[in-house]
Every structure is written in structure tokens, then in C-alpha cells.
Amino acid sequence: MRVEGVSSPVTVKTSASVTVDAPLTKCTGNLEVGGNIVAQGDIKDKGGAYSMAGMRNTYNGHTHNGGPSPDQKM
């Protein structure tokens, strides 16, 4: 099935939820989110070398010149 707005916006409005059940979902433009984003997996940016979880682990484990690890964990 294909939904195409051509030159007009497409709005889906419901008081419940919308589920997309697909192995891959692509967005070719910008994505604006007015609420929270909750991920069950890793999140990476365009650099792609590290996930947010990997950056958090690096930050939490780092020291300054052999001193203590940060007392405020990320």
C-alpha cells in the first residue's frame, strides 16, 4: 500500500496510537518530534562510530590524569 500526498500534507490523527510494523522505516527529510523519544536499541548519529550507550560508558569510566571517575554519571 502506498499513501502519497503529492503537493499536499498528509495528516494521521487518532486518540489512540499508530504502529508501523516493518523491518526498516526510512525518513528522507527532517524529523520533528514534539514529545519524548524512547529507543529499545542503540542510537547513533551521522558520525556513527559510537552509540549513545558507548559514549555514556566512555564518559562514566574516564578519569582526569588518573584521578577519580566522574561523581556525576551521565
Side-chain angles (χ1 to χ4, degrees):
M1 178 175 79
R2 183 178 181 143
V3 176
E4 198 168 323
V6 186
S7 300
S8 302
V10 174
T11 300
V12 176
K13 186 173 183 176
T14 179
S15 60
S17 65
V18 175
T19 300
V20 176
D21 186 358
L24 176 64
T25 303
K26 293 183 178 184
C27 177
T28 57
N30 296 326
L31 178 64
E32 292 184 20
V33 178
N36 297 324
I37 298 175
V38 178
Q40 300 300 316
D42 283 332
I43 299 173
K44 295 181 180 183
D45 65 9
K46 68 179 180 178
Y50 300 99
S51 68
M52 287 181 72
M55 289 186 286
R56 185 179 310 107
N57 288 336
T58 298
Y59 173 83
N60 290 343
H62 88 280
T63 63
H64 294 261
N65 297 322
S69 295
D71 61 352
Q72 294 178 330
K73 301 294 183 191
M74 184 186 298

